[in-house]
Amino acid sequence: MTPTACLLIIGNEILSGRTQDANIRFLATGLGEIGIALDEVRVIPDRAPRIISAVSECRARFDHVFTTGGIGPTHDDITAACVAEAIGVPLEIHEESFRALEDYLGKEKFNAARQRMAMLPRGATPIANSVSVAPGFTIANVHVMAGVPRIMQAMFNALKPSLKGGAPLTSVAWYSDLREGTLAEGLAEIQAHFPDLDLGSYSFERDDGRRGVTLVAKGYDTELVAEAGKQIRALILALGAEPVSGEPAP
Amino acid sequence: MTPTACLLIIGNEILSGRTQDANIRFLATGLGEIGIALDEVRVIPDRAPRIISAVSECRARFDHVFTTGGIGPTHDDITAACVAEAIGVPLEIHEESFRALEDYLGKEKFNAARQRMAMLPRGATPIANSVSVAPGFTIANVHVMAGVPRIMQAMFNALKPSLKGGAPLTSVAWYSDLREGTLAEGLAEIQAHFPDLDLGSYSFERDDGRRGVTLVAKGYDTELVAEAGKQIRALILALGAEPVSGEPAP
């Protein structure tokens, strides 16, 4: 079975519309590559009861929980404390991280606010941060990362080798100028043949007037995906259009 | 009290990393303008049990639930049926929408797959779709919209006048070259004075080397927001830096 994951984005700035999310797609793609299925995403506010209940609920339902956001030095950076509470362990100074931050920032700048970034739940394993030293961490099946995309990406890449997934997600795509309503019946038949694959249809419309639909088959079994791809191609041909491999250029 | 909203994004294509989300920020901003607080977002797969349980849970917890995705003509377009089931009403042909689609597409193209787009839960009010005619709908506190951003935006704009919110979300921002760890203590004090506002700090780093932090105060009370803005400006001055109004250019 492919392990499942849930991403919790902790951030008022996404919910207020201030910031465009840039983490979902990166994590979705990265997890697919190592054979872990991103199965849900939640964006929740920086409020302790919401974070604690979401972590508790999601870590029971999914094999992995990834969080982004709320691990900096300011008053709204409460993710580490909330995860500690959800797991039921104390939050304490992580000596190695404390010394690394003190070395990096210098004693004078390493004030009380910044020292909070060295507080981890007891028993957590730090996730290295090659950008700004303040670590993320893994405890049980919860992986806590920064919200700033560049730092989040560095942390995920540091974490990746320790994550055990299944076969990677593979996909095949064909597009044509046929519309969804014309393809729907045949596509439903192909889906019925391949219950373990995810068959999707995506309309496109380009500025130069090109319109049509891309049909995509995705799954964790390469042979099944290839077979579905052949049937998709045959469907487009049978409906009198020209199938083109891949996705249309933007 | 400001009404709350939850957005359910129904779409395997976001969870697989195929598609970059473009709906969260638009809806967050649009709801803020009419005084409804987007309080949670969930991205879930195109699977009936997941959609039904998310709709049921979220419509009990939030004043409004908005969904995007899954209302086209193909096999994975199951949102209307799932919402009908969550609310406990049958799904049936909506005569007016049926005739409008038949007129728009022509009898020949209006096949069984496309006729599904005229099936709404009993008692639903259609949401006009100025782009491709197939409607969204509102039933109880659930608003069902398309996933394609251009169509979703047209539907939200059609829906907006019927949504009753409170005072709009307002915000004030000041930035400087100070860092989060330096600002954290003073910012926490300001937050403590304004428990009803959301005070955030956002690091920026530009390609030309400019670095610093933007401090933002947000809330539904314009006077409180303005007062918090004055205190933010004073904090930056007291720490020896130059406060600049607004957000730094990209």
Side-chain angles (χ1 to χ4, degrees), chain A residues 198-240:
Chain A
D198 168 23
L199 263 66
S201 63
Y202 306 100
S203 298
F204 62 85
E205 184 172 351
R206 297 291 181 259
D207 291 339
D208 63 5
R210 284 175 299 145
R211 289 178 64 177
V213 167
T214 308
L215 299 178
V216 179
K218 274 205 175 69
Y220 295 92
D221 182 322
T222 320
E223 283 178 35
L224 281 185
V225 170
E227 186 53 42
K230 282 181 199 161
Q231 296 195 18
I232 286 172
R233 181 174 179 276
L235 170 66
I236 296 172
L237 282 169
L239 290 167

Side-chain angles (χ1 to χ4, degrees), chain B residues 108-124:
Chain B
E108 199 177 316
K109 283 178 89 177
F110 196 44
N111 60 14
R114 290 188 171 103
Q115 287 175 20
R116 293 181 60 226
M117 298 191 289
M119 304 280 286
L120 303 188
R122 182 178 293 171

Side-chain angles (χ1 to χ4, degrees), chain A:
Chain A
M1 278 292 290
T2 304
T4 59
C6 175
L7 167 61
L8 293 180
I9 297 178
I10 297 160
N12 293 344
E13 69 278 15
I14 307 288
L15 292 171
S16 71
R18 180 188 180 279
T19 304
Q20 166 66 45
D21 165 69
N23 287 338
I24 296 175
R25 194 176 190 187
F26 177 86
L27 195 75
T29 308
L31 288 172
E33 286 166 6
I34 56 173
I36 295 177
L38 183 62
D39 203 34
E40 184 157 324
V41 178
R42 296 189 186 185
V43 188
I44 57 173
D46 307 335
R47 289 204 297 275
R50 296 287 292 275
I51 301 172
I52 295 165
S53 67
V55 169
S56 299
E57 185 189 334
C58 294
R59 84 182 202 87
R61 286 183 52 194
F62 302 95
D63 295 316
H64 295 274
V65 173
F66 295 84
T67 77
T68 62
I71 62 166
T74 67
H75 64 94
D76 56 354
D77 289 310
I78 55 175
T79 302
C82 292
V83 170
E85 182 150 343
I87 307 266
V89 295
L91 188 71
E92 59 189 21
I93 294 276
H94 186 266
E95 293 294 345
E96 196 187 315
S97 302
F98 189 93
R99 284 192 301 270
L101 276 163
E102 194 175 49
D103 284 353
Y104 175 70
L105 293 163
K107 264 198 200 315
E108 198 176 317
K109 283 178 89 177
F110 195 46
N111 60 14
R114 290 188 170 103
Q115 287 174 20
R116 292 181 61 225
M117 297 191 290
M119 304 280 287
L120 304 188
R122 182 177 293 172
T125 305
I127 302 174
N129 169 354
S130 57
V131 178
S132 57
V133 180
F137 61 87
T138 292
I139 183 162
N141 60 339
V142 182
H143 312 282
V144 172
M145 305 184 292
V148 175
R150 200 162 60 97
I151 305 180
M152 180 273 192
Q153 291 170 17
M155 286 181 177
F156 183 70
N157 289 333
L159 180 62
K160 232 173 168 180
S162 69
L163 298 170
K164 281 172 195 56
L169 184 65
T170 57
S171 69
V172 62
W174 288 93
Y175 71 94
S176 73
D177 60 1
L178 294 170
R179 302 300 160 81
E180 280 197 312
T182 308
L183 290 156
E185 193 187 333
L187 191 63
E189 282 171 19
I190 301 177
Q191 177 72 79
H193 289 161
F194 299 99
D196 292 339
L197 300 186
D198 168 23
L199 263 66
S201 63
Y202 306 100
S203 298
F204 62 85
E205 184 172 351
R206 297 291 181 259
D207 291 339
D208 63 5
R210 284 175 299 145
R211 289 178 64 177
V213 167
T214 308
L215 299 178
V216 179
K218 274 205 175 69
Y220 295 92
D221 182 322
T222 320
E223 283 178 35
L224 281 185
V225 170
E227 186 53 42
K230 282 181 199 161
Q231 296 195 18
I232 286 172
R233 181 174 179 276
L235 170 66
I236 296 172
L237 282 169
L239 290 167
E242 180 66 34
V244 186
S245 178
E247 304 250 0

Side-chain angles (χ1 to χ4, degrees), chain B residues 26-240:
Chain B
F26 177 86
L27 196 75
T29 307
L31 288 172
E33 286 165 7
I34 57 173
I36 296 177
L38 182 61
D39 203 33
E40 184 157 324
V41 178
R42 296 189 187 186
V43 188
I44 58 173
D46 307 336
R47 289 204 296 276
R50 295 286 292 276
I51 300 172
I52 295 165
S53 68
V55 169
S56 299
E57 185 189 334
C58 294
R59 84 182 202 88
R61 285 182 53 193
F62 302 95
D63 296 316
H64 295 274
V65 173
F66 295 84
T67 76
T68 63
I71 62 167
T74 67
H75 64 94
D76 56 354
D77 289 310
I78 55 176
T79 301
C82 292
V83 169
E85 182 150 343
I87 307 267
V89 295
L91 188 72
E92 59 189 20
I93 294 276
H94 186 265
E95 293 294 344
E96 197 187 316
S97 302
F98 189 94
R99 284 192 301 271
L101 276 163
E102 194 176 49
D103 284 353
Y104 176 69
L105 293 162
K107 264 200 200 313
E108 199 177 316
K109 283 178 89 177
F110 196 44
N111 60 14
R114 290 188 171 103
Q115 287 175 20
R116 293 181 60 226
M117 298 191 289
M119 304 280 286
L120 303 188
R122 182 178 293 171
T125 305
I127 302 173
N129 169 354
S130 57
V131 178
S132 57
V133 181
F137 60 86
T138 292
I139 184 163
N141 60 340
V142 182
H143 312 282
V144 172
M145 304 185 293
V148 176
R150 200 161 61 97
I151 305 179
M152 180 272 191
Q153 292 170 17
M155 287 182 176
F156 183 70
N157 289 333
L159 180 63
K160 233 172 167 179
S162 69
L163 298 170
K164 281 171 194 58
L169 183 64
T170 58
S171 69
V172 62
W174 289 94
Y175 69 94
S176 72
D177 59 2
L178 295 170
R179 303 300 160 81
E180 280 196 312
T182 308
L183 290 157
E185 194 186 333
L187 191 63
E189 281 171 19
I190 301 176
Q191 177 71 79
H193 290 161
F194 298 98
D196 291 339
L197 300 185
D198 167 24
L199 264 65
S201 63
Y202 305 101
S203 299
F204 62 86
E205 184 173 349
R206 296 291 180 258
D207 291 340
D208 63 6
R210 285 175 299 145
R211 290 178 63 178
V213 167
T214 308
L215 298 178
V216 180
K218 274 204 176 68
Y220 295 91
D221 182 323
T222 319
E223 284 178 35
L224 281 185
V225 169
E227 186 53 43
K230 283 181 200 161
Q231 296 194 18
I232 286 172
R233 181 174 179 275
L235 169 66
I236 295 171
L237 282 170
L239 290 168

